[in-house]
Amino acid sequence: MALCAASISHNNTSRIPSSSKSNTFYQKEDLCFSSFLPFITYSSSPFYLQEWFWFPLEKKGALLFARPCLVFAVLLDESKEKLLLPKGDMWSVHKFGGTCVGSSERIQNVAQVIVQDSSEGKVGGCVSDVQDAVFEKHKLTAMDLLDEDDLASFLSRLHHDINNLKAMLRAIYIAGHATESFSDFIVGHGELWSAQMLSYVVRKNGLDCEWMDTREVLIVNPSGSNQVDPDFAESEKRLEEWFSRHPSKTIVATGFIASTQQNIPTTLKRDGSDFSAAIMGSLLRARQVTIWTDVDGVYSADPRKVSEAVILRTLSYQEAWEMSYFGANVLHPRTIMPKLESPVRGFATIDNVALVNVEGTGMAGVPGTASAIFGAVKDVGANVIVISQASSEHSVCFAVPEKEVAAVAEALKSRFSEALNAGRLSQVAIIPNCSILAAVGQKMASTYGVSATLFNALAKANINVRAIAQGCSEYNVTAVIKREDCIRALRAVHSRFYLSKTTIAMGIIGPGLIGATLLDQLRDQAAVLKEDFNIDLRVMGITGSRTMLLNDVCTLLGNLHCIVTSGIDLSRWKELVKDQGEVADLEKFRQHVHENHFFPNTVLVDCTADSNVASCYHDWLRRGIHVITPNKKANSGPLDQYLKLRALQRQSYTHYFYEATVGAGLPIISTLRGLLETGDKIQRIEGIFSGTLSYIFNNFKGTRAFSNVVEEAKQAGYTEPDPRDDLSGTDVARKVIILARESGLKLDLSDIPVQNLVPEPLRACASAEEFMQQLPQFDNEMARARQEAEDAGDVLRYVGVVDAVSREGRVELRRYKKDHPFAQLSGSDNIIAFTTTRYKEQPLIVRGPGAGAQVTAGGIFSDILRLASYLGAPS
């Protein structure tokens, strides 16, 4: 499949059938992206269009020229033997792709386009390939389309051609070798038969029509590297001679095929039918070229790799040329000559390439080294796709098709054997399994930061760039990457330039109270995030300690065979876990979520309090997986492991967010970081960090028994299933450690003295029920502490303290005056006071709900959106 340019007329709604197996048809006006686009003189710039559009299309084709009798009558010079060929704006050129003549019905539709076109002159085209049972296929098609006389004439020619081809193929088989001339002669017959049949159908519809074998008209000269150069002067002469012998109102001509100066049949090489259309347009001085196809338009990236690729409504010549080169199967870059007129219009890739790196200290400053390198490459007939050289001249790096790299390496080692042996060259290295990614846009040249944005997107997707190339015109920036990273890279840069949504593959670990609440929030907000914020969050897996659910929904994008991996349906995830869940396996879960090449970004969200899960963070970050969690175990665990984790995070573009580890949804971590990053110095952090203990001591007043308040908090869902987990103070101590380490203190959990509110005799209770039954026996002790505080005009509050000056932390039950901010709390609110160099006289206070599934899940959700912003979503 190729990509080609087209200018589409607005005033004709004739239909061309889709190439798909469905009965879908595309109206001509469906493909209208611009008004008529003029050709401008030929001379040194023979093909000139103002705007261009490109579409998937087959390689070869037949062209159609149509000229009304009015023009014919005016230009007919009866005083001469030759009929003059009219030229100029009365001509328009149409080219029809192979699917347009893939059946008798479609050939009829093409004929209707020709008949109904009101232009004074027209050129169009169609495509056909020689296939198995070619005779039977063409015979049946002709019988469906043609009347008796035309049918007999066509079948006679078809018999003759098939017999000749059989004889030639037999000779090739015996010889065991086919020359290029033989191959060109054989492959051109599809065009010959298509053009003949189409001309008969046009004639049947009431127009005087002749068909042209363009091998009699188009003359080309081989120019090497699988290219040919048209001989416009000779071709124009032969076209005029042909027209004088075959004057008619309509002419159908073959595309793709031509002849050499020696009248040897040849082709116009890759996408040559598009080139044929432009050559004919130049010879006729046509005012427009229309290339018909059956798809919607030009995409910003290969839709088989990027399902979110969008259709480009306009495309300049230079952008089309760059796309044609890097997209491989694209519009023939010589179909037009340039007229130059956002920044990035689209992306293209070339797979199956290898890098060749020639380096050595003896290369620097030595004239002719590059010439010798590429001369050796030329001698083996290899095609150099990308070249990159550092200004130090220490090395030259270039990419070639992988199938050619062995010959290139051998040629270079032979050519530079003396330099390699002498040490002037250190190596000729081959890096296989590469792909080339190109960003294309005409306005890149005038926009700052395009390259920075491109490479930043690749870095954040954890993709390493092997080589970079950019011309001074800045229409194209090229990067060489690992082949396995190609799709992720393409999707990463495509979304970063807002050509598609920022898509993140997510895995949710721990679908308990907080995890389930988060999944509900994601479900409720998904549509808004897509439409208003350009963010597409796809939950690819959900796992608990025993059961996990992995998505397995894949769909095909039309006939493009593009696999679109959908996320889990969050409206029924609990049902799916029950019906389709499998035994939990955290490593399998990680692989499933992360190793899907259609998503450049992956995040694992740990909603557990499991230290085993937390121990995986370092490996996940190392693999390029982002981590978001309210789990305090990693940041309050052993100091050496914490430092190792943070060092890895700082060295990479992988993000580790944990705002919800302290204060649930309150901005505690981000506030602390903001103070430190702006140069403020932390002196003291003091706060009520436990929503559970905040609720207990806010309600432990009057004559209420301590055990009754604890029971009330347990029934209200504020405590852990075993209230001792809250009353022990360990959770608060972990939060103190996290804040101390964020402040630069290297403390371990064992360095923090903690006042445990669980009475010593009850710490060994076998169950939470036993603990609650025996807790009233110790109410008097807590009542005395409350009475002493009240007598002094104080209240009791359970707090954590980070003393940055003394470089220590502690957790304890303290007394505060009733006018103190800590005494003003209600419910389960948290409050944290930052005393700093700037906020010394009056601390910076952060206050709000610090417990509960909704606010904790909201804090996690906020981190997810912050990650999306860092990855390129609009902020």
Side-chain angles (χ1 to χ4, degrees):
M1 180 170 285
L3 295 171
C4 59
S7 155
I8 307 297
S9 167
H10 285 288
N11 61 356
N12 191 318
T13 59
S14 304
R15 288 187 163 191
I16 291 185
S18 165
S19 63
S20 64
K21 294 182 180 180
S22 69
N23 294 322
T24 304
F25 285 78
Y26 291 84
Q27 291 192 8
K28 185 175 182 182
E29 61 189 4
D30 291 337
L31 302 178
C32 293
F33 303 103
S34 175
S35 56
F36 291 122
L37 307 178
F39 266 114
I40 300 179
T41 63
Y42 68 115
S43 64
S44 61
S45 296
F47 324 116
Y48 208 112
L49 286 188
Q50 187 174 18
E51 295 288 348
W52 278 88
F53 316 93
W54 45 282
F55 312 92
L57 202 61
E58 296 295 336
K59 288 188 176 180
K60 304 186 292 292
L63 301 170
L64 169 121
F65 315 147
R67 187 176 57 82
C69 19
L70 176 61
V71 176
F72 177 82
V74 171
L75 295 178
L76 180 61
D77 187 346
E78 297 180 352
S79 65
K80 298 182 180 180
E81 293 183 1
K82 282 189 175 182
L83 184 66
L84 295 179
L85 173 67
K87 300 174 184 177
D89 287 350
M90 73 286 296
W91 288 100
S92 63
V93 180
H94 296 263
K95 185 239 172 188
F96 299 92
T99 55
C100 298
V101 289
S103 67
S104 57
E105 180 185 6
R106 291 175 180 177
I107 292 177
Q108 289 279 21
N109 291 334
V110 169
Q112 287 301 312
V113 172
I114 297 167
V115 172
Q116 295 176 17
D117 195 317
S118 60
S119 302
E120 293 184 49
K122 299 175 289 292
V123 180
C126 48
V127 173
S128 176
D129 291 329
V130 178
Q131 302 176 2
D132 294 337
V134 64
F135 173 76
E136 192 65 25
K137 177 180 178 179
H138 285 80
K139 175 184 174 182
L140 293 175
T141 302
M143 292 175 67
D144 193 33
L145 289 172
L146 308 181
D147 293 333
E148 292 183 2
D149 292 342
D150 289 341
L151 178 62
S153 175
F154 177 78
L155 291 180
S156 175
R157 175 63 183 265
L158 183 63
H159 272 291
H160 178 269
D161 289 346
I162 291 292
N163 288 334
N164 286 342
L165 288 175
K166 286 180 179 179
M168 179 172 288
L169 291 171
R170 177 65 180 170
I172 292 172
Y173 173 75
I174 294 172
H177 173 70
T179 65
E180 185 177 1
S181 297
F182 274 26
S183 299
D184 286 348
F185 176 78
I186 291 171
V187 299
H189 278 77
E191 283 69 30
L192 294 170
W193 299 327
S194 296
Q196 290 176 66
M197 274 195 287
L198 181 57
S199 69
Y200 290 143
V201 176
V202 171
R203 185 186 303 164
K204 184 178 177 180
N205 279 271
L207 292 182
D208 182 22
C209 183
E210 292 283 346
W211 76 276
M212 174 194 292
D213 180 350
T214 50
R215 294 178 299 185
E216 301 175 16
V217 172
L218 297 185
I219 304 301
V220 297
N221 297 310
S223 60
S225 301
N226 201 34
Q227 289 188 356
V228 293
D229 291 330
D231 185 332
F232 285 98
E234 180 64 23
S235 298
E236 185 171 23
K237 175 183 175 183
R238 294 196 183 198
L239 177 60
E240 291 173 349
E241 291 174 351
W242 186 94
F243 189 81
S244 70
R245 298 193 305 272
H246 305 282
S248 61
K249 297 178 180 179
T250 306
I251 303 169
V252 176
T254 58
F256 183 62
I257 57 177
S259 293
T260 66
Q261 293 284 359
Q262 295 75 34
N263 294 318
I264 299 173
T266 188
T267 67
L268 298 179
K269 312 306 176 187
R270 182 180 72 83
D271 305 325
S273 56
D274 304 337
F275 199 10
S276 303
I279 294 172
M280 283 296 181
S282 174
L283 295 175
L284 295 168
R285 318 298 195 272
R287 69 186 175 90
Q288 78 177 46
V289 170
T290 305
I291 296 182
W292 292 79
T293 184
D294 54 3
V295 297
D296 292 340
V298 187
Y299 287 89
S300 56
D302 187 341
R304 293 167 297 183
K305 298 178 179 178
V306 181
S307 57
E308 299 87 355
V310 296
I311 293 175
L312 303 177
R313 295 299 172 183
T314 62
L315 199 65
S316 72
Y317 166 80
Q318 192 68 34
E319 291 165 339
W321 191 96
E322 295 283 0
M323 285 289 200
S324 74
Y325 180 77
F326 284 94
N329 294 323
V330 185
L331 159 70
H332 195 293
R334 300 177 66 200
T335 301
I336 54 173
M337 299 301 282
K339 177 181 186 294
L340 301 180
E341 354 195 74
S342 284
V344 175
R345 302 302 309 281
F347 299 90
T349 58
I350 301 177
D351 294 324
N352 303 318
V353 300
L355 274 179
V356 181
N357 186 46
V358 182
E359 67 177 59
T361 55
M363 294 174 58
V366 179
T369 301
S371 175
I373 291 172
F374 294 111
V377 175
K378 179 179 181 294
D379 289 343
V380 297
N383 178 37
V384 176
I385 305 171
V386 170
I387 302 173
S388 179
Q389 180 178 13
S391 58
S392 66
E393 302 181 50
H394 178 70
S395 67
V396 175
C397 175
F398 57 92
V400 297
E402 201 152 37
K403 62 184 179 181
E404 300 173 356
V405 72
V408 169
E410 184 177 348
L412 289 172
K413 290 176 181 177
S414 174
R415 172 64 181 81
F416 294 100
S417 59
E418 181 180 340
L420 287 166
N421 292 333
R424 295 193 302 276
L425 287 186
S426 58
Q427 66 172 344
V428 175
I430 305 300
I431 304 175
N433 303 319
C434 294
S435 290
I436 292 174
L437 170 67
V440 174
Q442 183 169 313
K443 293 186 178 179
M444 288 166 57
S446 58
T447 305
Y448 296 109
V450 172
S451 294
T453 301
L454 175 73
F455 294 114
N456 184 262
L458 293 175
K460 287 184 175 180
N462 207 40
I463 293 168
N464 185 42
V465 176
R466 296 291 185 85
I468 300 169
Q470 178 179 3
C472 61
S473 66
E474 297 184 61
Y475 292 124
N476 172 293
V477 178
T478 299
V480 182
I481 58 179
K482 292 180 182 177
R483 184 191 306 164
E484 65 189 58
D485 292 335
C486 182
I487 295 178
R488 285 197 303 118
L490 188 58
R491 294 177 67 88
V493 297
H494 194 268
S495 65
R496 186 63 183 85
F497 284 94
Y498 310 136
L499 299 179
S500 61
K501 294 176 175 59
T502 298
T503 305
I504 303 176
M506 300 176 60
I508 306 298
I509 304 170
L513 181 60
I514 293 174
T517 304
L518 174 64
L519 287 166
D520 291 343
Q521 291 179 357
L522 290 169
R523 176 201 62 205
D524 296 342
Q525 195 67 4
V528 174
L529 290 176
K530 286 182 181 180
E531 295 302 319
D532 296 346
F533 299 95
N534 216 40
I535 299 172
D536 184 2
L537 303 177
R538 303 192 192 183
V539 177
M540 313 303 292
I542 302 170
T543 184
S545 59
R546 297 183 178 88
T547 307
M548 69 180 180
L549 173 67
L550 308 178
N551 77 303
D552 58 355
V553 182
C554 297
T555 57
L556 292 179
L557 184 61
N559 60 357
L560 293 173
H561 307 289
C562 175
I563 297 178
V564 182
T565 306
S566 304
I568 292 171
D569 182 356
L570 297 185
S571 66
R572 50 192 292 264
W573 69 267
K574 292 181 180 178
E575 174 189 340
L576 293 173
V577 169
K578 181 179 179 181
D579 296 341
Q580 301 176 19
E582 56 187 273
V583 176
D585 182 330
L586 193 57
E587 176 58 18
K588 180 180 178 181
F589 180 83
R590 191 275 306 168
Q591 291 177 359
H592 174 82
V593 176
H594 179 53
E595 295 179 2
N596 184 320
H597 294 301
F598 278 89
F599 297 107
N601 305 300
T602 303
V603 59
L604 293 179
V605 182
D606 175 19
C607 298
T608 74
D610 192 328
S611 57
N612 291 324
V613 176
S615 68
C616 297
Y617 294 175
H618 187 275
D619 179 63
W620 294 345
L621 292 170
R622 183 182 58 82
R623 294 176 181 272
I625 302 172
H626 307 285
V627 176
I628 293 174
T629 185
N631 188 342
K632 294 176 278 293
K633 297 297 175 63
N635 283 17
S636 62
L639 180 60
D640 60 336
Q641 294 183 20
Y642 167 80
L643 295 175
K644 183 180 177 183
L645 184 65
R646 292 305 305 273
L648 176 62
Q649 179 198 4
R650 293 189 181 100
Q651 292 167 6
S652 68
Y653 281 92
T654 309
H655 297 285
Y656 173 41
F657 294 150
Y658 43 86
E659 183 71 73
T661 58
V662 180
L666 296 179
I668 306 301
I669 300 292
S670 56
T671 298
L672 175 55
R673 283 191 171 180
L675 292 170
L676 294 171
E677 289 170 358
T678 58
D680 205 350
K681 303 296 182 183
I682 302 297
Q683 296 181 355
R684 183 184 180 89
I685 303 173
E686 185 174 0
I688 298 173
F689 295 107
S690 169
T692 301
L693 294 173
S694 177
Y695 178 89
I696 289 174
F697 284 100
N698 287 338
N699 290 278
F700 181 47
K701 52 189 175 182
T703 60
R704 298 195 64 184
F706 184 74
S707 61
N708 288 339
V709 178
V710 173
E711 177 65 29
E712 179 181 275
K714 186 175 186 297
Q715 294 301 321
Y718 286 115
T719 72
E720 295 293 333
D722 189 336
R724 286 176 295 179
D725 293 338
D726 299 294
L727 296 174
S728 69
T730 302
D731 183 69
V732 176
R734 290 188 180 278
K735 295 175 181 178
V736 168
I737 282 290
I738 291 172
L739 294 177
R741 289 174 175 178
E742 289 289 319
S743 302
L745 305 184
K746 295 183 179 180
L747 299 178
D748 258 319
L749 196 59
S750 58
D751 298 325
I752 305 294
V754 179
Q755 182 177 351
N756 193 332
L757 298 182
V758 180
E760 180 73 32
L762 302 185
R763 294 174 188 175
C765 287
S767 66
E769 290 74 18
E770 181 183 350
F771 165 74
M772 291 302 299
Q773 289 174 0
Q774 297 188 29
L775 182 60
Q777 300 175 22
F778 300 89
D779 281 344
N780 289 338
E781 183 178 340
M782 292 300 297
R784 282 196 299 270
R786 177 183 60 190
Q787 189 61 51
E788 290 174 1
E790 288 181 353
D791 291 345
D794 297 337
V795 296
L796 295 176
R797 296 293 182 261
Y798 194 78
V799 298
V801 178
V802 176
D803 190 333
V805 177
S806 301
R807 306 189 68 80
E808 63 182 15
R810 57 187 178 274
V811 176
E812 59 190 5
L813 185 64
R814 298 190 65 189
R815 288 158 47 170
Y816 293 89
K817 293 298 180 182
K818 292 184 179 181
D819 60 352
H820 192 280
F822 287 14
Q824 309 301 315
L825 292 184
S826 61
S828 61
D829 280 3
N830 282 187
I831 187 169
I832 296 89
F834 295 93
T835 303
T836 70
T837 302
R838 296 174 187 157
Y839 295 94
K840 189 174 183 178
E841 301 301 326
Q842 186 173 354
L844 173 63
I845 301 290
V846 177
R847 173 182 171 176
Q854 287 291 336
V855 293
T856 303
I860 300 168
F861 202 165
S862 178
D863 272 348
I864 293 171
L865 298 184
R866 182 156 65 110
L867 173 65
S869 178
Y870 283 15
L871 295 177
S875 58

